Amino acid sequence: MAKQQKKGTLIIIGGAEKQGDKEILQAVAKRAGSGRLVVATVATEEPEEMFQEYREIFRELGVKDLAHLDVQKREDALSEDRVRVLEKARVIFFTGGDQLRITSQLGDSQVYRRVQEIYLHGGTVAGTSAGASVMSETMLVSGHGDQSHRLENAVMMAPGFGLIKDMVIDQHFAERGRLGRLLGAVAQNPRQLGVGIDENTAILVEGQDAFEVLGEGAVYVLDGSGITYSNLVENERERNETLSIYDVKLHVLSRENRFDLRERRPLQPDPPGPGDSNKKK
């Protein structure tokens, strides 16, 4: 029997993580240690400006070996010099922008395969905003985020990197009112958990069994496995109707809460020990 490959760590960030004490970026920097951290600016149209901003932050957080993965066109992702940027990388950090730029430029390229190898052999892949959306096998691309989901407003989805299975991720969640569109995504395929991540908030996934919440906001988990009814495929002549969906579960998690991805339920926190109430959060 072939030896099972090790899986690494995912840090999936809801955006706006550069504020405050930069707790989430500290967690990213910690996993780089004395090794290389690669900032991938594939999603943005201003790669150099974006890299310099993160370079300054990660330098302040103690990262000494920083590299820039700049892929502005598809042929860049097929070149050996871009693959060499990822040599000795312990962490790859995908910035925000447009998630379709990431998948269309990197999908099934030498660079993409190297990212997979790093993750499968214990490295860390982190992403914020658009860089968060690409982590799942199905990626949420667009949809109305400030109102209840209407049947005529289809949620656009596309294949992602597939680093984590059975999940669709949305970011800037509470700040941009995206509950309606994540419900629309879950209604389209109840097999997938809908995970909405607030700004300056992240989920830390080690392996594929569970995640832990980092940061100051909330993580919303929509479980559609028990849905008994939705009107998604009904009312063909009345596509302006609002989505109806019954018996969908909603879990809301905050800092240090954990979620079991196998059982699809939150893990009860340990009871506080003596003196815990006096500890700094």
Side-chain angles (χ1 to χ4, degrees):
M1 181 182 294
K3 184 178 179 180
Q4 186 176 8
Q5 287 182 305
K6 180 181 179 181
K7 286 187 172 67
T9 299
L10 301 176
I11 302 178
I12 306 174
I13 309 164
E17 74 290 337
K18 292 175 281 190
Q19 58 188 292
D21 62 3
K22 301 178 181 62
E23 171 192 350
I24 296 165
L25 292 179
Q26 287 183 49
V28 175
K30 179 180 178 181
R31 280 159 179 78
S34 59
R36 175 170 293 179
L37 189 156
V38 175
V39 177
T41 59
V42 189
T44 180
E45 295 180 351
E46 300 180 336
E48 190 58 36
E49 293 87 341
M50 185 76 75
F51 174 65
Q52 292 303 329
E53 188 174 3
Y54 278 105
R55 180 184 183 183
E56 182 177 340
I57 291 170
F58 282 125
R59 289 285 192 210
E60 291 174 355
L61 295 175
V63 180
K64 293 183 169 50
D65 188 355
L66 276 163
H68 182 197
L69 179 63
D70 180 14
V71 175
Q72 298 187 46
K73 52 187 182 296
R74 173 73 181 174
E75 64 183 302
D76 293 341
L78 307 176
S79 66
E80 286 300 322
D81 65 320
R82 296 306 197 280
V83 176
R84 282 195 292 272
V85 172
L86 297 170
E87 287 181 2
K88 301 179 182 178
R90 289 188 184 174
V91 177
I92 306 161
F93 178 83
F94 286 92
T95 69
D98 181 348
Q99 51 263 48
L100 276 178
R101 287 178 63 92
I102 304 176
T103 55
S104 63
Q105 306 288 52
L106 298 189
D108 202 31
S109 66
Q110 287 94 323
V111 167
Y112 169 70
R113 289 193 286 272
R114 183 65 188 127
V115 170
Q116 282 189 313
E117 289 172 3
I118 290 167
Y119 172 63
L120 290 172
H121 290 88
T124 296
V125 181
T128 182
S129 191
S133 292
V134 300
M135 300 289 186
S136 55
E137 58 183 336
T138 301
M139 176 178 75
L140 206 164
V141 176
S142 66
H144 290 266
D146 56 355
Q147 60 188 33
S148 297
H149 182 71
R150 302 185 75 83
L151 302 183
E152 63 181 347
N153 299 327
V155 175
M156 181 180 174
M157 293 189 282
F161 277 178
L163 298 179
I164 188 163
K165 307 296 184 184
D166 300 330
M167 181 186 294
V168 60
I169 297 160
D170 208 351
Q171 12 76 15
H172 302 282
F173 195 70
E175 292 78 8
R176 299 186 185 177
R178 288 179 165 173
L179 178 61
R181 81 173 192 177
L182 190 58
L183 278 167
V186 170
Q188 288 185 29
N189 190 349
R191 176 179 65 85
Q192 298 185 108
L193 284 172
V195 178
I197 307 174
D198 284 352
E199 293 180 355
N200 202 19
T201 309
I203 61 172
L204 173 68
V205 190
E206 295 181 301
Q208 298 279 304
D209 293 332
F211 69 71
E212 179 179 345
V213 178
L214 307 176
E216 65 180 22
V219 172
Y220 298 75
V221 182
L222 293 172
D223 181 0
S225 59
I227 290 173
T228 57
Y229 167 79
S230 80
N231 64 344
L232 193 68
V233 295
E234 297 180 4
N235 305 309
E236 292 293 338
R237 291 174 294 182
E238 298 292 340
R239 299 304 294 173
N240 62 335
E241 287 194 10
T242 301
L243 173 70
S244 296
I245 186 168
Y246 300 172
D247 296 307
V248 61
K249 287 183 182 178
L250 170 64
H251 306 284
V252 184
L253 294 85
S254 60
R255 184 194 305 273
E256 296 184 358
N257 288 170
R258 301 182 72 242
F259 191 88
D260 187 324
L261 292 168
R262 303 295 184 190
E263 298 296 326
R264 298 170 75 106
R265 61 175 297 104
L267 293 164
Q268 291 292 337
D270 295 329
D276 281 358
S277 60
N278 297 321
K279 291 182 181 179
K280 182 180 179 182
K281 296 296 183 183

